């Protein structure tokens, strides 16, 4: 139980080890850098930056109670809080207040609970949509103008149009602009004359807090939500099978992306990222919609499988890690992608949206970087993990629950991000048919201790307990646990190592991935059906020798003259091509395919191109005559040197492409007269170095226990030194962080408390002064010293400070 105190610093010094551990776990920013002593810890806990971070992490229930404590004032009775909140659930309110105390947003004095001084500053003047108190809006106003009974009687006498104006301002905002029309000004004038509104400028008015509370009938919020809303869910079947199929498709997409970019890597934009045109080319290659394509590209980048190659003319190319990844077992390949996605701070759904620059955000560009998406992914998956296995949530109720957990986020931005996370998790295979898969649960399980466990999660049945409609409400994963900090969650806790997570995730997914097949079914219409993911060698051959026509449970490939020529260009002979198809097919090779291969092979290489700048030779003079007569080939400026030889100033590769576009089938000839086989290029970018990075200890329970032990030791040492220094006036002053010093001085100004400071003069000598600070601003402290004279001290010369005993 907390010991009554005189200040936040006194409160924190009076806490036990377990309570200090809970405080640091709830607000891990207090631990970096490690404070020198408990006074420094208390000063840091009261700084605006730390308090703002803690308030932003509150859920709606804790935020509403904190707002009620602020409006009720210091040491308010619990009945006042219950009345403001419009509830009689004293147990829940007491538990939330205890959470706020545990997180040092409230401290416990002799007379009751007090909010930390910087909390009202962080919440602003419009707490819960209410305006400022009457005494702040108009300091000269007599006390009776803020009397609730008088306000209630005045409102009852107000004209209808004045009542309508008040009703529009009741639930906020509490500020309004005076109407330009005369009737509106007349209405506002009545309210101003009766002190229900207060002018704040020539054309703006404010609704005082006391008036707003009367209009709200004493309630602070339109609806009190101390517990999270339920998630409606429906049972689904074949979750893991669907997730395994999606995971297999995702692996195929990444393979195809690596093959496409390895052969023809796209350029890196000057500002970074992938151009819209190159993304569209990639989309056509993968046969996906734009959003899905952007996701695959960003996923491969997050996993380190593609990167900027760093050349003079940079391109996006597969890294050397792609080769090792491609040869790994399918479950491990998927685990690499899933772990990278969960930890990525990039938001693929922002691709194509208006960015910070003049145009839309590009894939792989800086505008897609959004650190908040990582926390949103984890929160979404936590909520999915809280449901029964095989339960798919209703998206609207899931969004409502997440909005309750994070009330300070923009609702529109949060809703869009949640939908994007659900969509991406389905594409990746983390979920199947909307429900979290077994592999998805393995992925999320190590993170659950790091995510919020909020009081009030409950298990209720949708529709008043009727489960015949197949809907179930979410089951909470437990109430507030020790050290959870209630509704406060840390954004700095460190997740488990990716390698440790990947093994379990890979094992969970491997059982549900379709088994690779080593055969195809060739059909008479020049198509081949792969009844599953193909083994490595056969899959590479089919991507080279045929075009993908459709995907699904089975992949349909189509053999075309262009695809056959692509294989012949890579060095395959017609006999090898046909034999590979015959050996891999469970059905006989149809004659149309054999004719196609033979026909393409017969034409292939009839014409050979080499460089003089470039020459064309052919034993068939009629072929060369046709080329010379073709108007489409005029730009090549072909010239006959011999009956069977033409030359051109064009590059040999340009000749090959243009002649093929005009129906010829040339091959490239080397300087020794042999055919140069066009092997598919395998461009590789240098691996992104993933060094050990900065050594930052996670703010976990062992670290926090060590920190608290150190703080206790520092306090014991300080006590011992105080005993030794009893002959010297004042306490011992330790050096401290300037931020901590400023916070302590501001607290002393607010509490009118004396402070001992160490002050360094121009020669470096340090003296001790007992001062009573009056104002802290502009890097200086104006204070009265022990003799009562007013002096000014430069903050940068203050070496340390401690409150007067």
């Amino acid at each position: 139980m907390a010991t009554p105190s005189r200040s936040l610093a006194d409160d924190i010094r009076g806490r036990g080890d377990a309570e200090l551990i809970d405080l640091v776990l709830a607000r891990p920013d207090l631990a970096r850098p490690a404070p020198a002593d408990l006074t420094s810890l208390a000063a840091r806990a009261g700084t605006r930056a730390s308090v703002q971070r803690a308030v932003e992490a509150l859920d709606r229930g804790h935020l509403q109670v904190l707002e009620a404590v602020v409006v009720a004032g210091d040491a308010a009775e619990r009945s006042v809080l219950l009345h403001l909140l419009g509830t009689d659930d004293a147990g829940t309110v007491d538990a939330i207040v205890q959470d706020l105390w545990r997180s040092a947003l409230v401290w416990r004095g002799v007379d009751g609970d007090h909010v930390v001084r910087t909390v009202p500053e962080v919440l602003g003047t419009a707490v819960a949509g209410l305006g400022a108190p009457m005494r702040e809006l108009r300091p000269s106003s007599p006390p009776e103008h803020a009397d609730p009974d008088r306000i209630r009687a005045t409102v009852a006498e107000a004209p209808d149009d004045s009542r309508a104006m008040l009703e529009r301002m009741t639930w906020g905002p509490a500020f309004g602009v005076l109407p330009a029309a005369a009737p509106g000004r007349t209405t506002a004038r009545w309210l101003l004359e009766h002190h229900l509104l207060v002018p704040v400028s020539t054309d703006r008015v404010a609704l005082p807090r006391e008036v707003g509370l009367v209009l709200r009938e004493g309630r602070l919020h339109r609806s009190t939500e101390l517990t999270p809303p339920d998630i409606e869910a429906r049972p689904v079947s074949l979750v893991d099978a669907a997730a395994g199929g999606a995971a297999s498709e995702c692996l195929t997409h990444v393979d195809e992306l690596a093959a496409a970019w390895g052969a023809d890597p796209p350029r890196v934009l000057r500002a970074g990222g992938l151009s819209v045109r190159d993304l569209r080319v990639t989309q056509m290659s993968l046969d996906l919609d734009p959003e899905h394509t952007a996701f695959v590209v960003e996923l491969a980048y997050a996993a380190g499988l593609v990167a900027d190659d760093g050349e003079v003319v940079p391109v996006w190319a597969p890294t050397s890690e792609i080769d090792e990844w491609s040869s790994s077992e399918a479950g491990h390949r998927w685990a690499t992608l899933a772990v990278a996605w969960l930890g990525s701070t990039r938001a693929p759904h922002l691709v194509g949206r208006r960015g910070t620059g003049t145009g839309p955000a590009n894939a792989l560009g800086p505008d897609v970087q959004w650190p908040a998406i990582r926390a949103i992914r984890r929160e979404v998956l936590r909520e999915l993990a809280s449901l029964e296995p095989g339960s798919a949530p209703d998206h609207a109720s899931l969004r409502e629950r997440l909005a309750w957990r994070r009330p300070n986020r923009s609702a529109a931005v949060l809703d869009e991000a949640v939908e994007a996370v659900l969509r991406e998790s389905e594409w990746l295979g983390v979920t199947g048919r909307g429900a979290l898969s077994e592999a998805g649960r393995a992925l999320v399980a190590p993170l659950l201790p790091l995510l919020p466990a909020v009081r009030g999660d409950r298990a209720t049945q949708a529709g008043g307990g009727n489960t015949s409609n197949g809907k179930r409400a979410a089951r909470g994963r437990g109430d507030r646990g020790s050290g959870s900090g209630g509704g406060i969650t840390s954004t700095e806790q460190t997740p488990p190592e990716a390698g440790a997570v990947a093994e379990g995730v890979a094992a969970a997914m491997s059982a549900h991935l379709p088994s690779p097949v080593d055969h195809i079914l060739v059909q008479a219409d020049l198509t081949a059906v792969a009844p599953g993911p193909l083994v490595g060698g056969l899959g590479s051959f089919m991507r080279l020798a045929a075009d993908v026509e459709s995907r699904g449970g089975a992949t349909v490939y189509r053999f075309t003259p262009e695809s056959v020529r692509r294989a012949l260009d890579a060095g395959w002979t017609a006999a090898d091509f046909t034999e590979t198809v015959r050996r891999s097919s469970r059905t006989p090779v149809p004659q149309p395919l054999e004719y196609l291969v033979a026909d393409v092979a017969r034409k292939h290489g009839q014409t050979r191109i080499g460089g003089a700048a470039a020459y064309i030779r052919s034993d068939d003079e009629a072929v060369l005559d046709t080329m010379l007569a073709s108007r489409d080939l005029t730009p090549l400026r072909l010239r006959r040197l011999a009956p069977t030889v033409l030359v051109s100033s064009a590059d040999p590769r340009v000749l090959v492409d243009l002649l093929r576009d005009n129906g010829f089938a040339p091959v490239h000839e080397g300087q020794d007269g042999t055919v140069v086989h066009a092997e598919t290029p395998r461009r590789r970018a240098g691996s992104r170095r993933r060094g050990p990075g900065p050594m930052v200890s996670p703010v976990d329970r062992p670290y926090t226990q060590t920190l608290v032990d150190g703080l206790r030791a520092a306090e014991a040492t300080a006590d011992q030194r105080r005993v030794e220094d009893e002959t010297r006036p004042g306490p011992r002053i330790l050096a401290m962080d300037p931020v901590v010093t400023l916070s302590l001085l501001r607290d002393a100004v607010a509490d009118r408390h004396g402070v001992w400071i160490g002050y360094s003069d121009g020669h470096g000598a340090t003296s001790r002064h007992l001062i009573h600070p009056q104002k802290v601003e502009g890097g200086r402290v104006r204070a009265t010293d022990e003799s009562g004279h007013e002096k000014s001290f430069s903050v940068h010369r203050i070496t340390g400070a401690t409150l007067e005993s």
Side-chain angles (χ1 to χ4, degrees):
M1 183 68 181
T3 303
S5 310
R6 296 177 302 167
S7 65
L8 175 63
D10 196 13
D11 182 296
I12 289 180
R13 282 195 295 268
R15 299 190 183 198
D17 287 359
E19 293 166 337
L20 289 174
I21 290 173
D22 288 347
L23 167 60
V24 177
L25 288 175
R27 295 174 62 179
D29 60 294
L30 302 180
R32 293 199 181 102
D37 52 26
L38 291 177
T39 301
S40 299
L41 178 68
R44 191 176 297 171
T47 59
R48 182 184 178 95
S50 181
V51 169
Q52 182 164 354
R53 181 175 296 185
V55 170
E56 287 176 349
L58 291 176
D59 59 46
R60 185 168 294 149
H62 286 74
L63 182 60
Q64 288 185 344
V65 172
L66 181 62
E67 290 173 336
V69 174
V70 171
V71 172
D74 290 336
E77 296 288 340
R78 189 67 79 235
S79 58
V80 176
L81 288 184
L82 295 175
H83 180 67
L84 285 171
L85 293 168
T87 180
D88 56 0
D89 189 354
T92 299
V93 173
D94 288 342
I96 293 178
V97 172
Q98 179 70 10
D99 289 339
L100 296 173
W101 173 82
R102 182 182 293 109
S103 302
L105 292 175
V106 167
W107 60 273
R108 201 148 286 163
V110 177
D111 52 350
D113 295 326
H114 302 253
V115 293
V116 174
R117 178 180 54 81
T118 46
V119 167
E121 298 177 12
V122 171
L123 294 178
T125 57
V127 179
L130 288 174
M134 180 73 79
R135 65 178 180 275
E136 293 183 13
L137 293 172
R138 180 181 288 173
S140 61
S141 177
E144 56 267 21
H145 288 174
D147 180 64
D149 293 333
R150 177 191 173 281
I151 294 172
R152 196 173 291 109
T154 304
V155 170
E157 298 172 357
D160 292 341
D161 52 354
S162 299
R163 284 293 302 270
M165 182 174 289
L166 289 176
E167 289 174 0
R168 288 196 295 271
M169 301 177 70
T170 297
W171 295 103
F175 293 91
V177 178
L178 289 175
R185 286 187 173 271
T186 302
T187 300
R189 186 179 301 112
W190 190 96
L191 297 173
L192 291 169
E193 290 173 351
H194 289 78
H195 310 292
L196 297 180
L197 293 180
V198 176
V200 293
S201 67
T202 56
D203 62 344
R204 291 175 63 85
V205 294
L207 184 73
R209 178 174 297 177
E210 295 83 356
V211 178
L213 284 174
V214 169
L215 294 173
R216 297 183 183 189
E217 298 179 351
R219 290 186 296 116
L220 188 57
H221 305 96
R222 192 187 297 267
S223 62
T224 301
E225 301 175 67
L226 302 183
T227 55
D230 298 325
I231 300 178
E232 299 296 330
R234 55 184 175 81
V236 293
S237 58
L238 302 175
V239 172
D240 291 322
S248 179
E249 286 189 15
C250 185
L251 295 177
T252 300
H253 295 325
V254 175
D255 280 333
E256 292 178 355
L257 176 71
W261 284 14
D264 186 16
R267 292 276 296 273
V268 178
L269 293 176
R270 181 178 300 177
L274 184 70
S275 71
V276 175
R277 175 184 175 277
D278 288 327
L279 181 64
R280 189 177 298 113
V281 170
T282 304
Q283 174 192 342
M284 296 174 63
S285 174
L286 300 181
D287 192 24
L288 299 173
D289 57 63
E291 293 80 8
H292 199 165
T293 303
F295 167 71
V296 173
V297 169
E298 289 285 350
L299 180 64
Y301 177 75
L305 303 180
V306 298
D308 178 345
D309 67 352
E311 298 293 336
V312 176
V313 180
V315 296
W316 294 107
T319 66
S320 56
E321 296 178 13
I322 192 72
D323 301 308
E324 180 182 354
W325 179 82
S326 298
S327 60
S328 300
E329 187 267 333
H332 286 87
R333 297 172 66 204
W334 184 83
T336 299
L337 299 179
V339 171
W341 172 74
L342 186 61
S344 174
T345 56
R346 299 184 63 81
H349 73 280
L350 297 180
V351 173
R353 308 292 175 86
R354 181 66 61 178
T356 56
T358 57
N362 294 95
L364 304 180
D367 289 336
V368 183
Q369 185 75 14
W370 188 36
I373 192 64
R374 177 167 57 188
I376 294 174
R377 283 194 194 105
R378 294 175 177 178
E379 291 171 9
V380 169
L381 295 182
R382 176 208 184 255
E383 298 299 345
L384 295 180
S386 72
L387 301 173
E388 290 285 353
S391 298
D394 172 69
H395 288 196
S397 64
L398 176 61
R399 291 194 301 269
E400 289 177 5
R401 190 178 181 96
L402 291 170
W404 182 89
R405 292 202 185 278
R406 291 293 176 266
N408 290 312
R409 285 184 180 148
S410 166
V413 172
L414 181 62
D415 288 351
E416 181 184 27
V418 169
E419 288 298 325
V421 170
L422 293 172
R423 187 168 59 245
E424 291 171 8
S425 62
E426 197 76 14
W427 287 337
L428 183 57
V430 173
T431 59
R433 304 187 65 192
L436 197 64
S437 64
E438 179 184 349
R441 291 183 182 275
L443 180 67
V444 180
L447 299 175
L448 289 179
L450 306 177
L451 294 169
V454 181
R455 172 176 294 273
D457 288 2
R458 9 177 213 156
T460 58
Q461 298 295 332
N466 182 8
T467 58
S468 62
N469 58 1
K471 294 186 176 181
R472 291 180 295 213
R475 299 192 312 168
R477 281 284 179 174
D479 290 341
R480 169 185 50 81
S482 176
S484 70
I488 299 181
T489 29
S490 163
T491 57
E492 294 191 359
Q493 297 187 33
T494 304
E497 291 294 330
V501 177
E503 288 297 325
V505 174
M509 178 53 78
S510 294
H512 305 291
L513 285 170
S515 300
V517 296
D518 59 357
H519 64 276
I520 56 176
L521 305 174
V522 182
Q523 304 180 94
D525 59 353
L526 297 180
T527 60
V529 178
L534 297 174
V535 293
L538 181 56
S540 299
F541 170 76
M542 291 303 295
R543 283 194 293 271
L544 174 68
D547 298 325
V548 175
E549 191 167 80
S550 66
R551 293 185 177 90
T555 304
V556 178
Y557 296 88
R558 178 170 292 279
F559 295 101
T560 65
E562 290 75 17
S563 67
V564 173
R565 178 188 55 75
R566 193 164 60 228
L568 297 179
D569 284 345
W572 289 77
T573 65
D576 291 340
F577 187 106
T578 305
E579 180 58 29
T580 300
V581 174
R582 180 177 290 108
R583 187 173 60 251
S584 304
S585 178
R586 293 288 177 86
T587 57
V589 177
Q591 281 189 340
L593 178 58
E594 292 182 339
Y595 291 159
L596 174 64
V597 174
D599 185 56
V600 174
R602 178 176 57 80
K603 296 178 181 178
H604 189 263
Q606 283 184 347
T607 304
R608 301 189 176 190
I609 297 175
Y615 65 86
I616 305 173
R617 71 177 184 87
S618 175
D619 295 332
D620 189 349
E621 296 180 17
V623 173
L624 300 183
D625 292 337
T626 304
M627 292 181 184
L628 288 170
S630 174
R631 291 184 178 180
D632 293 335
L633 299 180
T634 300
L636 296 178
R637 297 183 180 180
L638 300 176
R639 184 165 57 91
R640 190 190 292 271
L641 292 183
T644 58
V645 179
L646 302 179
V647 295
S648 172
S649 59
D651 185 89
R653 289 173 297 182
V654 175
L655 280 176
V656 172
D657 291 338
L658 287 180
L659 290 177
R660 285 174 175 170
D661 290 343
N662 285 273
F664 300 96
V667 294
H668 195 181
E669 187 175 79
Q671 294 182 356
D672 58 356
T674 60
V675 175
V676 177
H677 295 299
E679 294 185 0
T680 302
R682 300 179 66 197
R683 183 71 173 265
R684 293 290 183 263
S687 297
R688 286 192 288 170
R689 294 189 177 274
R690 300 189 179 186
M695 298 298 294
V696 179
S697 301
V699 183
D700 52 14
R701 189 165 290 276
Y703 175 87
T704 307
Q705 181 67 64
T706 303
L707 175 66
V708 171
D709 291 343
L711 294 175
R712 290 296 188 200
E715 287 292 309
T717 302
D719 291 341
Q720 183 179 357
R721 287 175 176 172
R722 289 191 192 99
V723 173
E724 296 173 353
D725 295 341
E726 283 182 350
T727 57
R728 300 181 61 188
R732 183 178 181 84
I733 302 173
L734 299 177
M736 61 176 56
D737 189 294
V739 175
V740 177
T741 303
L742 277 172
S743 176
L744 189 147
L745 292 171
R746 290 193 178 102
D747 286 341
V749 172
D751 299 335
R752 299 182 180 180
H753 208 289
V755 180
W756 282 93
I757 63 171
Y759 195 72
S760 176
D761 61 19
H763 302 286
T766 302
S767 57
R768 298 157 56 88
H769 301 269
L770 175 61
I771 64 173
H772 289 78
Q774 306 297 322
K775 182 181 294 185
V776 180
E777 64 179 3
R780 303 188 69 82
V781 181
R782 297 187 63 82
T784 55
D785 61 10
E786 297 171 87
S787 61
H789 295 94
E790 186 171 314
K791 291 185 177 180
S792 177
F793 299 88
S794 297
V795 174
H796 72 276
R797 291 186 180 275
I798 298 178
T799 60
T802 185
L803 293 175
E804 180 186 17
S805 300

